[in-house]
Amino acid sequence: MQFGIKAWLRHPKMMLNRLRYAQISTKITCFYASVLLLVLLLTSGLTGLGVFFSFYHQAEVELEISMNHVLKVMEQGRSIDMDFGRDDLVLPGVVLRIVDSRGKIVYENDVHYPPIKRIEESTVKNPPFWANKNMQVAQLRNATLYHARMDVEYRGQIYQMHFFKTITAEKHFLETLQKILFLMTILGFLLALVAGFFVSRRILQPIREMTATARKIEVEKMDRRIAVPPARDELAELAETFNHMLDRLEGGFEQQKRFVSDASHELRTPVTVILGYSDLLSRWGRSDEAVLDEGIASIRSEAENMQQLIEKLLFLARADQNRQVLHKENIELSELLADIIKKMKLVTKDHTVELLQNDDGMIYGDLVTVRQMFRIFLDNSTKYTPKGGRIVVVSQKVINAEGSFMEVDLSDNGIGIAKEDQQKVFERFYRVDTSRTKVQGGVSGTGLGLSIASWIAEQHGIEISLTSELGEGTTIHLRIPLCE
Ligand code: ATP
Ligand code: MG
């Protein structure tokens, strides 16, 4: 056996070292069983000692009372002969024997008691430490005696007075008690070991389950969860935390997988188109000018699409890895908005763009990405608003208990977004209706614009909300914190 008693006795240090690497349940069991053993040993030792003391003390008191009584009777002048103890001279159970200077017994109250010589020969050399030092303990073959001796000079004669008290029954009782206490201690210790082993194993069962589950979890198989124990204890909390962590990891992995598959899907379309046109060009391009022009234009447009998509993917990848560098500085928002709108008016021919209100306000942010964010919203407004539509920007300063903010509303009167899609449009690659978006000016979206914008907003503490009515238009509300 690994933790056998023999091994413990032979190499205690080595076994203690081995215990250090044992299971927690073994450690807990050993620790508490040892504490219990110590308590039981102390209790039984002290109980035994107390009982021993009180029994011996009782015998001493009885002997002393008897001795005092004898002295009192002698003071009264009673002569020492066989009639000396005519009334109750000593307490019951105490034996008195009086010997004169020649060694002759002049009085004894129990003739059957062992002779003095034999008793003196059987006197224990080292009596127990709780016995009175002025008295002797004699251990005869089948009896134990407490013996007190008193030399008295009386009427010119020297007398030896021997007082005895048998304590055999008490000693027997005490020895039996000792054995019982010892057995109980060992039994208690063993019980604590067994019970402790099973209880601690049971208590720590959820941890073993967690370990087993954790071993089975792989990236491809993340659906396993730990059974949460019904008790609201630390282990249940640990299991719940572990499960939540797995939920988050699974979500992250799923998102990653979707991202990769969506990205490959998005890249496949332009590549297929480019391949198709290059086939066309190799077959007819040399002879037909029109085919040549169309092919080159299409290949170029698809390559541009692909480039834009790759740029966006790289941006999100950098954002995910916290590698997207932001150079934050103080920016006058009104100037930035005015500049964006001015440039937009130059290129937008099919829509009217208006900046109705443009309050002054300093923001702290990265100029390039904040500009990019506004462009994403305005791009969408032009893309999803039919020709002749109106795009309106209002930037209004608001100061309240929470601080000072610039509330910017970017509205269009375009196709709008249905209620059920309004949250989803911020997800990566989410497009409301691919066929519909293709129709709008022939520009296809990738579904990444709003997720990039929401990342930029998050990095600047900007809150985004969206109101939209299908067929009526969309408004993006931005709440941008201003510098104090
Ligand atoms: P990208 O911007 O990456 O080129 P995209 O415009 O399709 O592609 P997002 O900007 O993320 O992607 O927008 C997601 C979807 O939300 C769009 O496909 C469109 O369906 C819808 N959407 C966004 N803005 C508007 C808007 N102003 N009006 C109507 N629909 C919108
Ligand atoms: Mg967009």
Side-chain angles (χ1 to χ4, degrees):
M1 204 170 108
Q2 212 183 357
F3 286 99
I5 293 172
K6 264 193 195 164
W8 270 105
L9 293 176
R10 248 185 251 156
H11 315 283
K13 223 173 176 182
M14 197 184 87
M15 295 308 285
L16 215 64
N17 232 350
R18 197 179 282 185
L19 195 61
R20 204 174 290 166
Y21 302 107
Q23 289 183 341
I24 292 184
S25 54
T26 315
K27 281 183 196 163
I28 294 177
T29 308
C30 287
F31 177 73
Y32 281 106
S34 315
V35 171
L36 185 75
L37 180 69
L38 206 75
V39 171
L40 284 175
L41 277 177
L42 267 173
T43 320
S44 52
L46 289 177
T47 312
L49 219 65
V51 177
F52 264 95
F53 258 113
S54 60
F55 272 143
Y56 272 74
H57 189 68
Q58 177 67 24
E60 280 162 32
V61 169
E62 284 180 22
L63 286 173
E64 266 166 21
I65 290 174
S66 304
M67 285 157 93
N68 288 336
H69 194 235
V70 166
L71 286 176
K72 210 186 266 171
V73 168
M74 280 165 72
E75 270 169 21
Q76 287 164 6
R78 193 184 289 182
S79 58
I80 297 178
D81 49 24
M82 279 306 174
D83 203 25
F84 184 63
R86 60 178 173 269
D87 45 17
D88 288 339
L89 194 62
V90 290
L91 290 178
V94 175
V95 173
L96 170 62
R97 205 170 263 173
I98 304 175
V99 182
D100 66 11
S101 52
R102 279 164 292 147
K104 187 174 164 267
I105 293 171
V106 287
Y107 173 79
E108 62 181 337
N109 65 351
D110 187 348
V111 286
H112 305 293
Y113 220 66
I116 292 173
K117 202 163 160 261
R118 219 177 92 207
I119 292 175
E120 280 180 341
E121 277 168 7
S122 316
T123 298
V124 176
K125 282 211 183 68
N126 299 313
F129 69 89
W130 51 82
N132 191 318
K133 294 286 167 281
N134 300 320
M135 302 180 187
Q136 284 102 45
V137 179
Q139 182 62 56
L140 275 72
R141 196 153 43 88
N142 47 13
T144 309
L145 314 176
Y146 217 9
H147 175 197
R149 192 182 139 168
M150 183 165 71
D151 290 349
V152 192
E153 195 183 345
Y154 189 63
R155 292 182 181 167
Q157 278 267 20
I158 303 267
Y159 293 102
Q160 282 177 14
M161 295 193 167
H162 297 271
F163 293 83
F164 303 104
K165 170 100 181 122
T166 317
I167 50 170
T168 319
E170 284 89 337
K171 216 172 157 240
H172 255 289
F173 168 75
L174 289 177
E175 276 165 10
T176 317
L177 182 74
Q178 253 180 338
K179 277 180 202 152
I180 291 175
L181 285 178
F182 181 71
L183 272 176
M184 292 307 287
T185 305
I186 297 294
L187 206 74
F189 176 64
L190 289 178
L191 245 152
L193 268 184
V194 175
F197 181 71
F198 283 110
V199 170
S200 56
R201 263 186 83 84
R202 209 177 145 59
I203 288 176
L204 297 176
Q205 181 62 24
I207 290 191
R208 264 189 292 280
E209 279 171 17
M210 277 181 221
T211 315
T213 313
R215 259 195 210 123
K216 285 181 199 147
I217 290 169
E218 283 161 36
V219 178
E220 293 305 316
K221 252 173 141 189
M222 290 201 71
D223 55 333
R224 280 174 194 273
R225 291 294 177 271
I226 292 166
V228 180
R232 308 295 324 139
D233 56 10
E234 291 89 337
L235 289 177
E237 205 179 312
L238 178 64
E240 261 172 19
T241 314
F242 191 80
N243 284 346
H244 280 153
M245 184 191 78
L246 287 178
D247 286 345
R248 286 199 304 276
L249 279 180
E250 193 182 11
F253 275 123
E254 280 303 315
Q255 204 181 337
Q256 204 73 25
K257 264 199 275 183
R258 221 177 322 130
F259 187 68
V260 172
S261 88
D262 285 347
S264 346
H265 191 79
E266 289 298 323
L267 283 169
R268 202 159 67 183
T269 320
V271 170
T272 316
V273 174
I274 288 171
L275 281 176
Y277 273 107
S278 46
D279 271 352
L280 193 78
L281 283 183
S282 70
R283 234 176 278 163
W284 314 106
R286 264 177 282 266
S287 52
D288 192 334
E289 286 262 322
V291 171
L292 186 70
D293 287 345
E294 189 199 334
I296 290 172
S298 299
I299 287 176
R300 187 175 171 78
S301 132
E302 286 305 321
E304 271 170 2
N305 275 351
M306 213 155 80
Q307 191 189 28
Q308 273 176 22
L309 174 65
I310 290 169
E311 284 304 324
K312 285 175 191 163
L313 287 176
L314 283 176
F315 183 97
L316 285 172
R318 278 198 302 270
D320 284 348
Q321 292 170 15
N322 281 331
R323 282 195 299 113
Q324 180 61 46
V325 193
L326 300 177
H327 298 288
K328 287 192 182 174
E329 57 190 323
N330 284 343
I331 305 167
E332 177 51 57
L333 188 66
S334 56
E335 284 173 17
L336 175 65
L337 272 179
D339 184 54
I340 293 171
I341 302 296
K342 193 179 94 191
K343 283 183 181 145
M344 200 179 156
K345 276 181 176 163
L346 290 179
V347 289
T348 316
K349 300 203 170 54
D350 303 332
H351 304 92
T352 46
V353 184
E354 284 170 86
L355 180 56
L356 289 189
Q357 187 178 346
N358 193 12
D359 287 357
D360 289 340
M362 194 70 89
I363 64 161
Y364 183 67
D366 174 58
L367 185 63
V368 177
T369 50
V370 173
R371 183 189 287 271
Q372 190 181 353
M373 177 188 75
F374 281 117
R375 288 214 51 97
I376 288 170
F377 294 130
L378 293 168
D379 255 13
N380 283 348
S381 288
T382 30
K383 233 164 36 171
Y384 306 113
T385 303
K387 279 185 184 170
R390 191 163 169 247
I391 299 163
V392 175
V393 178
V394 174
S395 177
Q396 192 179 19
K397 192 172 185 171
V398 174
I399 299 174
N400 57 22
E402 292 169 52
S404 49
F405 300 92
M406 194 67 88
E407 290 196 341
V408 183
D409 284 358
L410 306 137
S411 321
D412 62 60
N413 58 353
I415 56 173
I417 307 166
K419 283 269 171 301
E420 65 267 23
D421 293 318
Q422 286 179 6
Q423 274 310 309
K424 294 187 196 153
V425 289
F426 290 95
E427 288 172 16
R428 290 177 186 183
F429 292 109
Y430 190 83
R431 274 173 288 167
V432 174
D433 183 346
T434 340
S435 58
R436 194 186 59 166
T437 53
K438 283 261 188 193
V439 174
Q440 301 302 321
V443 199
S444 64
T446 56
L448 289 176
L450 288 181
S451 43
I452 291 175
S454 65
W455 184 85
I456 297 171
E458 201 185 305
Q459 298 303 309
H460 290 85
I462 301 172
E463 284 172 29
I464 307 178
S465 54
L466 181 153
T467 45
S468 186
E469 274 300 323
L470 214 51
E472 306 236 323
T474 307
T475 302
I476 299 277
H477 312 273
L478 301 177
R479 201 165 110 116
I480 310 172
L482 290 175
C483 299
E484 291 303 316

